[in-house]
Amino acid sequence: MELTPRLRSVAEQVPSGAVLADIGTDHAYLPVRLILERRIDRAIAADLREGPLERAKETAKRYGVSDRISFRLCNGLADIGSQETDAIAIAGMGGETISAILSEAPWTKQGKLLLLQPMTSFTDLRLWLQQNGYRIEKETISREGQRLYTCLTVKGGDMEPLTPAELWAGKQSSDPLRGDFLDHMAAKAQRALAGQKNAASPDGKEIDFLTRVLDGIAQMKKELSV
């Protein structure tokens, strides 16, 4: 079983020997693959809905690892104890949903490794992490088809306030896809700025924020080319 590039970028950040909790597991491809690779020995696969959790059980059974995975039907981390896991993956959800899951489980700040791969609301998630006692240690970019994804490696702790550009595009600097990612995020910021300027009631604060985002990304691209 091979993982998609998006899930592989998450899998590569899971430490050897960790007990992984995969939140929103769907087919449980991530924990099953890591067990088959002998990177981890056991995992928790959790999902909010019965259908995806049944698919997860079918995957585990197909590959003979059902006895190594605990399946939980729950909202986020609601049915997972703080002592049961040391690495938590939350991928395939919006940034606001990820923030809501973590807000209900403050114990995730206590020595846990969080691998967060938001589909939307990147800026909101980074800001929430900054304001709520989490530290982004690095970001890893992957490409799947025409889309770029970023996986945030996060632990509890303080971090320096992020600039508008860092909130928008992260701080990673050595990833081989960094240049493409900056171009992509700059284009999104330009579209958002144009939308604000053409709006019937432009938001001056948002226009200023997006202008600073674009200036900051331009500086990041210069530093990347040095």
Side-chain angles (χ1 to χ4, degrees), residues 124-187:
D124 294 334
L125 177 58
R126 292 189 184 97
L127 181 60
W128 186 90
L129 292 169
Q130 173 183 288
Q131 293 176 338
N132 287 274
Y134 294 88
R135 181 179 69 252
I136 301 172
E137 299 205 326
K138 70 173 181 177
E139 299 194 24
T140 307
I141 306 167
S142 59
R143 187 195 302 276
E144 193 168 308
Q146 298 300 310
R147 187 165 180 178
L148 293 170
Y149 300 88
T150 183
C151 176
L152 285 64
T153 301
V154 175
K155 289 185 177 179
D158 298 325
M159 64 177 171
E160 294 182 5
L162 299 172
T163 67
E166 289 167 347
L167 285 170
W168 194 269
K171 293 182 69 172
Q172 73 272 37
S173 59
S174 60
D175 194 290
L177 289 171
R178 177 64 169 166
D180 290 348
F181 187 73
L182 289 176
D183 289 340
H184 173 69
M185 297 309 293

Side-chain angles (χ1 to χ4, degrees), residues 31-217:
V32 169
R33 181 62 189 176
L34 287 169
I35 290 171
L36 292 175
E37 289 179 355
R38 299 184 180 179
R39 179 91 67 83
I40 65 175
D41 184 62
R42 54 197 177 94
I44 299 168
D47 209 287
L48 178 62
R49 297 173 296 157
E50 291 184 4
L53 201 64
E54 287 302 314
R55 291 195 290 271
K57 292 177 181 177
E58 290 169 5
T59 301
K61 182 178 180 181
R62 185 182 318 133
Y63 289 96
V65 298
S66 298
D67 60 331
R68 301 212 216 157
I69 300 179
S70 175
F71 299 93
R72 309 287 172 86
L73 182 66
C74 63
N75 186 2
L77 289 153
D79 194 34
I80 298 174
S82 61
Q83 302 303 312
E84 291 188 277
T85 178
D86 43 35
I88 300 165
I90 311 178
M93 303 181 194
E96 292 177 350
T97 301
I98 294 173
S99 300
I101 289 172
L102 295 178
S103 69
E104 296 295 323
W107 53 264
T108 53
K109 288 182 276 192
Q110 309 302 318
K112 309 300 181 183
L113 176 67
L114 308 178
L115 302 173
L116 313 177
Q117 193 179 65
M119 299 292 102
T120 59
S121 302
F122 314 98
T123 302
D124 294 334
L125 177 58
R126 292 189 184 97
L127 181 60
W128 186 90
L129 292 169
Q130 173 183 288
Q131 293 176 338
N132 287 274
Y134 294 88
R135 181 179 69 252
I136 301 172
E137 299 205 326
K138 70 173 181 177
E139 299 194 24
T140 307
I141 306 167
S142 59
R143 187 195 302 276
E144 193 168 308
Q146 298 300 310
R147 187 165 180 178
L148 293 170
Y149 300 88
T150 183
C151 176
L152 285 64
T153 301
V154 175
K155 289 185 177 179
D158 298 325
M159 64 177 171
E160 294 182 5
L162 299 172
T163 67
E166 289 167 347
L167 285 170
W168 194 269
K171 293 182 69 172
Q172 73 272 37
S173 59
S174 60
D175 194 290
L177 289 171
R178 177 64 169 166
D180 290 348
F181 187 73
L182 289 176
D183 289 340
H184 173 69
M185 297 309 293
K188 287 188 68 173
Q190 287 168 344
R191 290 194 296 271
L193 180 59
Q196 280 292 335
K197 289 181 175 179
N198 293 326
S201 300
D203 185 331
K205 289 184 178 180
E206 185 67 11
I207 287 174
D208 177 66
F209 174 77
L210 291 168
T211 300
R212 288 190 288 156
V213 166
L214 286 167
D215 289 344
I217 290 178

